[in-house]
Amino acid sequence: KTFGVKDFFSHNKTTFNQRWIRYIYLANKIINFDLDKDNCVWLDIGSYYGGLQSIIKKYKPKWRIALVDFHHQLCRSYIYLKTEFPETKHILPDEIENFNSLKELPKGSFIYIPVSDYSKISNMNVNLFTNFFSFGEMRKEVFLNYIKSDVYENSEITYLVNRFVSAPFFEKTYDSQLNIIDYLSLKRNLQYFDIFPIHYYFVNKRLILNRKFYRNLSSPYFEMVTVK
């Protein structure tokens, strides 16, 4: 169920939309990572309303799941996840300082971390660090604040999906100079790299040279898995 969604497809009595196809693909990858099923801490940057978290929760009920996003997005995710999992422990931003480590969180809990409080957990340890799409939308100095943090560099696994080029010269999609080279790290070993298949053939209506028309994405997306 996705509350409030009006545009969706239907096939063999199953309804779905493009966002949930993406979530299912990502969830399948995450579920099959070699991570402890009972003691994993998963930190996701840019969680939106928690749709992907809701899928993982059903397969990995004991994982501790940390969501980092803007306040209004965390409000959305709290409402959605609290509705889906009312018996689960939901830890709000004003409770972050009660924990010296994310591994101290109750098993199976959610914790909601505003981007302004990221520094409070940036030196903690996690098993899985993820970001899907939003790194490529950030200015470089903001991006480096995440990718140079201890929590990223020391995580057991990182899984990223982002644009090869954030702002191609012919369409400055985002106020960012990031490209694939910025994601490479000498401190981590590349385990998997490929074109992200979801949305690869997606076209949407955009204005270029004062003409609005259906066009392909200005930059494809990569998916990359690294290990410590």
Side-chain angles (χ1 to χ4, degrees):
K1 295 182 294 182
T2 306
F3 310 126
V5 171
K6 297 179 181 179
D7 298 324
F8 57 86
F9 307 98
S10 181
H11 179 70
N12 290 339
K13 297 183 179 180
T14 299
T15 59
F16 53 92
N17 59 22
Q18 292 186 47
R19 180 177 294 278
W20 275 77
I21 292 173
R22 183 171 83 226
Y23 285 164
I24 291 169
Y25 176 90
L26 296 172
N28 183 66
K29 280 289 187 72
I30 291 172
I31 289 166
N32 285 291
F33 286 150
D34 186 21
L35 291 167
D36 191 313
K37 66 179 182 179
D38 292 333
N39 292 305
C40 179
V41 177
W42 169 31
L43 175 68
D44 184 46
I45 309 295
S47 306
Y48 191 32
Y49 69 91
L52 178 59
Q53 282 71 18
S54 70
I55 298 174
I56 299 297
K57 174 69 173 175
K58 294 171 183 176
Y59 289 90
K60 304 289 186 179
K62 294 183 180 180
W63 279 18
R64 301 165 176 90
I65 300 176
L67 300 84
V68 177
D69 215 321
F70 298 112
H71 286 85
H72 65 283
Q73 302 289 36
L74 292 179
C75 182
R76 287 190 176 109
S77 58
Y78 173 76
I79 293 170
Y80 178 70
L81 294 172
K82 182 69 172 178
T83 302
E84 287 284 275
F85 307 101
E87 303 303 320
T88 293
K89 177 68 174 176
H90 295 261
I91 301 166
L92 299 180
D94 60 354
E95 301 174 84
I96 295 172
E97 294 180 344
N98 295 337
F99 301 93
N100 296 316
S101 167
L102 293 177
K103 295 192 176 184
E104 293 180 0
L105 300 174
K107 286 187 178 182
S109 61
F110 293 104
I111 184 169
Y112 303 85
I113 305 169
V115 294
S116 56
D117 287 338
Y118 181 74
S119 61
K120 296 178 180 178
I121 57 97
S122 63
N123 63 347
M124 296 184 182
N125 292 324
V126 301
N127 302 94
L128 175 64
F129 182 111
T130 62
N131 175 263
F132 306 116
F133 289 58
S134 62
F135 273 175
E137 302 169 8
M138 298 177 184
R139 296 190 306 276
K140 191 166 186 177
E141 61 270 24
V142 179
F143 164 78
L144 291 175
N145 182 56
Y146 290 108
I147 209 165
K148 297 296 184 182
S149 63
D150 290 341
V151 70
Y152 176 86
E153 292 187 335
N154 296 325
S155 61
E156 186 177 342
I157 295 176
T158 69
Y159 181 27
L160 307 178
V161 175
N162 276 283
R163 295 164 67 95
F164 280 91
V165 181
S166 288
F169 79 93
F170 55 87
E171 185 184 0
K172 304 294 185 182
T173 317
Y174 299 107
D175 180 21
S176 172
Q177 298 302 314
L178 293 176
N179 61 57
I180 178 59
I181 296 172
D182 295 301
Y183 294 85
L184 303 179
S185 171
L186 296 176
K187 296 182 179 181
R188 301 193 59 81
N189 297 310
L190 185 64
Q191 185 180 72
Y192 176 85
F193 184 86
D194 206 341
I195 300 289
F196 185 60
I198 310 300
H199 309 315
Y200 184 73
Y201 297 100
F202 178 71
V203 294
N204 62 341
K205 186 173 283 189
R206 303 200 312 281
L207 182 67
I208 300 179
L209 299 176
N210 294 319
R211 185 185 180 202
K212 199 167 190 179
F213 195 72
Y214 285 100
R215 306 174 188 275
N216 60 299
L217 296 172
S218 57
S219 173
Y221 291 77
F222 65 86
E223 60 176 320
M224 179 169 68
V225 177
T226 69
V227 296
K228 181 65 178 172

